[in-house]
């Protein structure tokens, strides 16, 4: 939008018009002084459920009922065949790659724009993460670039449903089935998100969720693997239970496979069951607020709200992401913009750094162990092969609001947009800092 058009739009929108007054970063009045909604939300429902577990003395999976009940109810909520609760989202992903037999010498396609756990679980298998560049408009793995990254070593594709929007599953699932490569959905940010009316996490061979404290469904820590495949579910169960199958008694020390202890506790399951009574309503509030906020931010020059693919029939809005174009802000850099915005009482994060350039990942890939597993030439070419220029750009332009801010009121959204509009209209002042 040109500056003239913006002034017209701003005049039509009282929210954006209130953008005069000195910037708070330069000593003016902040747009907002109150804090945003607190998280987590809980009441007597959680208290009662926790006390019930406490007093039962059945605190672990195996003797209690809460974990089983949670798995059943979460499966119903998603329309999934099987759900396995795990200790956290990282262990849901870790369990998935183990159940699918991803191991040393394999390559796994991953996005560079994600939480680091998506990559760590590949490295824990001594497999090679191969990065697929990002679609800058959607912040998702660029499905058009997946096919070109596949080799005869590719053992899995892990699209991440960033922010609870959806990766382009039409493309990615088609490539997966054509090339016979399993797709693991990292749905750790995507509770109740949908692709063509089906719940995210239920479309791949497995889908993985996180219930870590910041997530839209929260038990402090927690996670789940979702699958419609009976055999894969048995392998996941075995892996998360130190190799012991579902039906063994506590005195039976025979093992169906290797594994680890990645079980959820009864206390966490009790909290999840309680939090699930709120999750649909909260998701609707976030959706409504996100839609309204987008309608406001679209009018501000230099602010580009995230675009979701047409197939994404519902986003979880775990984050509200947008891109910042400094040219429309008198050349003020993104971090200065974020500081000015925070001073107005609206905090945003600058988001992830590019994981394909992360030194610890490169060190791991070039380590002694990896050199024993992979041909030297393959490892030498890894760095170059993993250049993700679009993602590099995105990491410099991105900004996010958290899901808890999206739980607020319409007037909270007005203030968020008002603060950005104020900074935009006086961006020239920032340059003097
Ligand atoms: C949170 C998250 C994870 C890891 O989940 P934890 O429960 O923190 O282990 C993995 N991937 C993504 C995209 C996440 O956001």
């Amino acid at each position: 939008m040109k500056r003239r058009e913006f002034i017209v739009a701003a005049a039509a929108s009282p929210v954006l018009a209130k953008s005069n007054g000195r910037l708070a970063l330069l000593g003016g009045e902040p747009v907002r002084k109150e804090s945003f909604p607190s998280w987590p939300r809980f009441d007597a429902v959680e208290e009662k459920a926790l006390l019930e577990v406490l007093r039962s003395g059945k605190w672990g999976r195996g003797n209690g009922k809460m974990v089983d009940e949670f798995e059943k109810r979460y499966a119903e909520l998603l329309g999934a065949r099987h759900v396995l609760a795990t200790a956290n989202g990282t262990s849901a992903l870790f369990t998935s790659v183990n159940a699918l037999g991803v191991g040393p010498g394999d390559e796994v396609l991953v996005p560079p724009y994600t939480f680091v756990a998506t990559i760590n679980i590949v490295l824990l298998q001594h497999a090679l993460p191969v990065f697929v560049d990002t679609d800058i408009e959607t912040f998702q793995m660029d499905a058009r670039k997946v096919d070109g990254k596949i080799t005869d070593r590719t053992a899995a594709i892990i699209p991440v449903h960033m922010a609870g929007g959806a990766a382009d599953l039409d493309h990615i699932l088609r490539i997966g089935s054509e090339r016979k490569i399993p797709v693991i959905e990292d749905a750790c940010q995507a509770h109740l998100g949908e692709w063509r009316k089906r719940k995210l996490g239920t479309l791949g061979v497995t889908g993985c969720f996180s219930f870590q404290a910041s997530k839209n469904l929260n038990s402090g820590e927690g996670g789940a693997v979702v699958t419609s495949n009976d055999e894969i579910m048995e392998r996941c169960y075995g892996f998360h239970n130190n190799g012991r199958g579902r039906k063994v008694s506590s005195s039976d020390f025979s093992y169906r496979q290797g594994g680890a202890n990645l079980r959820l506790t009864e206390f966490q399951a009790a909290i999840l069951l309680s939090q699930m009574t709120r999750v649909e309503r909260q998701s609707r509030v976030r959706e409504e607020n996100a839609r309204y906020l987008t309608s406001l931010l679209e009018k501000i020059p230099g602010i580009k709200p995230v675009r979701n693919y047409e197939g994404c029939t519902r986003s979880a809005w775990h984050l509200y992401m947008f891109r910042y174009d400094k040219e429309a802000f008198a050349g003020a850099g993104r971090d200065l913009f974020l500081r000015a915005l925070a001073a107005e009482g609206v905090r945003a994060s600058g988001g992830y750094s590019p994981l394909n350039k992360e030194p610890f990942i490169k060190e791991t890939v070039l380590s002694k162990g990896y050199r024993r597993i992979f041909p030297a030439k393959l490892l030498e070419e890894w760095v170059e092969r993993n250049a993700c220029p679009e993602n590099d750009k995105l990491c410099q332009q991105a900004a996010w609001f958290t899901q808890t801010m999206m739980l607020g009121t319409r007037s909270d959204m007005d203030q968020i947009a008002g603060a950005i509009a104020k900074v935009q209209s006086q961006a020239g002042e920032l340059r003097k800092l």
Side-chain angles (χ1 to χ4, degrees):
M1 190 180 287
K2 304 241 162 53
R3 172 135 193 97
R4 258 188 81 83
E5 292 169 45
F6 173 61
I7 292 165
V8 175
S13 164
V15 178
L16 302 184
K18 266 193 294 181
S19 50
N20 38 14
R22 201 170 156 74
L23 289 177
L25 192 61
L26 301 172
E29 273 292 296
V31 169
R32 182 184 172 93
K33 288 180 184 144
E34 319 79 67
S35 53
F36 282 95
S38 65
W39 183 260
R41 296 194 172 174
F42 60 92
D43 60 20
V45 175
E46 279 78 1
E47 286 180 18
K48 182 165 169 285
L50 279 175
L51 274 176
E52 196 184 308
V53 173
L54 182 75
R55 288 177 180 148
S56 75
K58 294 173 177 173
W59 297 352
R61 159 156 233 168
N63 59 6
K65 297 249 181 323
M66 292 286 186
V67 176
D68 290 343
E69 179 68 12
F70 167 70
E71 289 174 344
K72 189 166 146 264
R73 298 265 294 281
Y74 199 56
E76 282 164 13
L77 183 65
L78 298 183
R81 184 168 165 88
H82 300 294
V83 168
L84 175 72
T86 59
N88 49 57
T90 307
S91 54
L93 288 160
F94 189 44
T95 299
S96 289
V97 288
N98 272 282
L100 295 172
V102 174
D106 288 337
E107 295 178 0
V108 177
L109 303 195
V110 288
Y113 202 78
T114 180
F115 181 62
V116 66
T118 317
I119 317 304
N120 275 333
I121 53 99
V122 175
L123 298 174
L124 283 170
Q125 293 307 101
H126 311 290
L128 196 62
V130 173
F131 292 93
V132 180
D133 206 353
T134 307
D135 176 347
I136 197 166
E137 288 189 11
T138 60
F139 293 56
Q140 309 291 346
M141 172 188 271
D142 191 336
R144 295 161 296 189
K145 294 178 179 160
V146 169
D147 207 44
K149 295 274 179 169
I150 292 174
T151 71
D152 56 6
R153 290 176 180 268
T154 310
I157 307 171
I158 313 185
V160 175
H161 301 305
M162 250 319 287
D168 184 349
L169 286 180
D170 286 358
H171 270 82
I172 295 169
L173 292 172
R174 197 186 62 232
I175 295 167
S177 85
E178 279 170 12
R179 308 288 293 255
K180 303 206 165 24
I181 299 168
V183 173
I184 298 170
E185 294 177 75
D186 182 338
C188 285
Q189 302 184 359
H191 318 78
L192 299 193
E194 292 175 2
W195 184 260
R196 303 201 186 282
K197 300 281 180 191
R198 290 166 67 192
K199 292 283 185 294
L200 296 176
T202 65
L203 291 101
V205 174
T206 69
C208 299
F209 287 89
S210 166
F211 311 123
Q212 180 270 340
S214 71
K215 302 290 159 76
N216 297 17
L217 183 60
N218 158 27
S219 52
E221 301 283 358
V225 183
V226 176
T227 184
S228 57
N229 182 307
D230 299 354
E231 167 58 22
I232 289 171
M233 182 43 59
E234 287 316 297
R235 271 186 267 156
C236 286
Y237 189 96
F239 185 79
H240 108 300
N241 195 34
N242 267 317
R244 306 174 78 192
R246 201 180 280 273
K247 298 205 172 63
V248 300
S249 74
S250 58
S251 57
D252 177 355
F253 292 99
S254 64
Y255 308 99
R256 77 185 298 282
Q257 66 189 85
N261 174 5
L262 305 171
R263 294 184 302 257
L264 192 78
T265 69
E266 289 283 296
F267 293 104
Q268 291 163 304
I271 294 187
L272 287 171
L273 284 163
S274 309
Q275 292 276 302
M276 271 169 67
T277 63
R278 314 167 196 281
V279 70
E280 172 61 32
R281 192 163 28 89
Q282 290 170 341
S283 297
R284 284 206 206 130
V285 172
R286 288 189 201 94
E287 270 181 294
E288 185 120 329
N289 279 327
R291 199 174 309 126
Y292 179 58
L293 184 59
T294 298
S295 75
L296 299 175
L297 296 190
E298 274 170 352
K299 300 195 180 98
I300 305 177
I303 300 294
K304 295 201 186 72
V306 67
R307 181 173 79 79
N308 283 319
Y309 295 113
E310 172 247 331
C312 178
T313 45
R314 188 179 199 191
S315 168
W317 297 106
H318 175 62
L319 302 162
Y320 185 98
M321 308 183 296
F322 60 95
R323 280 182 295 142
Y324 168 80
D325 175 8
K326 68 177 181 188
E327 298 316 318
F329 283 73
R334 191 255 326 253
D335 294 348
L336 186 53
F337 161 71
L338 294 177
R339 270 176 56 209
L341 200 56
E344 300 297 341
V346 175
R347 256 172 219 291
S349 160
Y352 296 134
S353 56
L355 285 176
N356 57 317
K357 293 178 160 176
E358 183 60 48
F360 91 87
I361 296 176
K362 190 171 165 190
E363 262 168 50
T364 306
V365 164
L366 301 179
S367 67
K368 200 170 79 193
Y370 269 68
R371 287 182 189 283
R372 286 194 183 131
I373 298 166
F374 289 94
K377 189 157 173 291
L378 189 91
L379 296 179
E380 275 159 30
E381 288 167 359
W382 182 83
V383 174
E384 225 173 292
R385 204 176 143 206
N386 284 286
C388 293
E390 287 298 300
N391 190 66
D392 292 347
K393 248 191 279 172
L394 178 63
C395 288
Q396 310 219 327
Q397 297 176 356
W400 307 336
F401 299 121
T402 59
Q403 54 96 358
T404 57
M405 289 165 79
M406 293 297 114
L407 282 177
T409 60
R410 207 173 154 95
S411 90
D412 289 347
M413 302 303 114
D414 286 337
Q415 286 188 325
I416 292 173
I420 296 177
K422 180 180 172 189
V423 175
Q424 199 279 333
S425 69
Q426 297 177 60
E429 298 294 310
L430 286 177
R431 249 198 333 215
K432 296 176 193 155
L433 283 175

